[in-house]
Amino acid sequence: MNKEIMSEAIKISREKMLAGEGGPFGAIIEKDGKIIARGWNKVTSSHDPTAHAEVVAIREACKELGDFSLEGCTIYTSCEPCPMCLASIYWARLDKIYYANTRDDAAAIKFDDEFLYREIATPIEQRKIPMNQLLREEANEVFKMWEEKEDKIRY
């Protein structure tokens, strides 16, 4: 745990929010005590709803390391990750998460991710956005090709 790195994540969240780049969120990825990536919320400035601080930092860290795996890395984020960011952290295989504000703190200022947490646990047929399966057999042929592909890179 490194309080200086967390302070830096919070500082980024403040600076970039005040600069009008997005919401009040910042993240830093560290490996072996060295900062390898910084990210901040760029949703409104980039017109990208996935440009959350953690996702931006993950993208930068992967570029920096030249790898899609961030094993051996730790993320410091100014707020408890939303469901998308948490999934991204798991996909990137980060070792540890440190966060400052909680999701309840975020909800108190109208960043309420609770709907998403509930929606993920809701059966597909009851979700708010209708989900309909189409052409599974055709798509499954591609999955079979992947399974048989000898030079695939597993991730």
Side-chain angles (χ1 to χ4, degrees):
M1 173 175 58
N2 189 319
K3 290 181 181 179
E4 291 171 8
I5 293 177
M6 181 60 82
S7 290
E8 179 69 15
I10 294 167
K11 178 182 170 191
I12 290 170
S13 74
R14 180 185 310 109
E15 287 177 358
K16 300 303 182 178
M17 176 204 55
L18 292 173
E21 294 198 27
F25 304 97
I28 292 182
I29 295 178
E30 166 271 316
K31 183 172 186 170
D32 300 325
K34 179 184 171 208
I35 293 174
I36 60 168
R38 290 173 172 80
W40 53 90
N41 185 285
K42 298 181 179 183
V43 170
T44 57
S45 61
S46 68
H47 309 290
D48 179 355
T50 68
H52 289 200
E54 297 91 337
V55 172
V56 170
I58 287 168
R59 290 173 181 162
E60 292 302 314
C62 288
K63 283 182 200 169
E64 177 68 22
L65 296 177
D67 200 345
F68 55 80
S69 174
L70 296 178
E71 288 183 64
C73 297
T74 298
I75 189 165
Y76 291 79
T77 179
S78 65
C79 188
E80 181 179 356
C82 74
M84 177 186 70
C85 292
L86 184 59
S88 298
I89 289 165
Y90 275 96
W91 279 118
R93 295 176 178 84
L94 284 145
D95 288 0
K96 196 175 285 187
I97 303 166
Y98 289 105
Y99 65 93
N101 289 316
T102 67
R103 69 194 216 196
D104 292 332
D105 296 330
I109 61 166
K110 308 295 189 253
F111 286 97
D112 193 355
D113 299 327
E114 197 57 41
F115 164 75
L116 295 173
Y117 284 103
R118 286 192 314 272
E119 191 74 358
I120 290 167
T122 299
I124 287 175
E125 62 277 357
Q126 296 174 16
R127 291 186 181 162
K128 299 292 183 202
I129 297 176
M131 293 181 66
N132 302 286
Q133 191 172 31
L134 186 62
L135 299 178
R136 180 178 181 218
E137 288 180 26
E138 289 180 37
N140 215 334
E141 288 176 23
V142 180
F143 273 17
K144 287 176 187 170
M145 291 172 68
W146 170 258
E147 187 176 36
E148 295 167 3
K149 187 172 175 19
E150 303 232 353
D151 61 343
K152 65 184 163 229
I153 298 172
R154 294 202 177 270
Y155 58 94

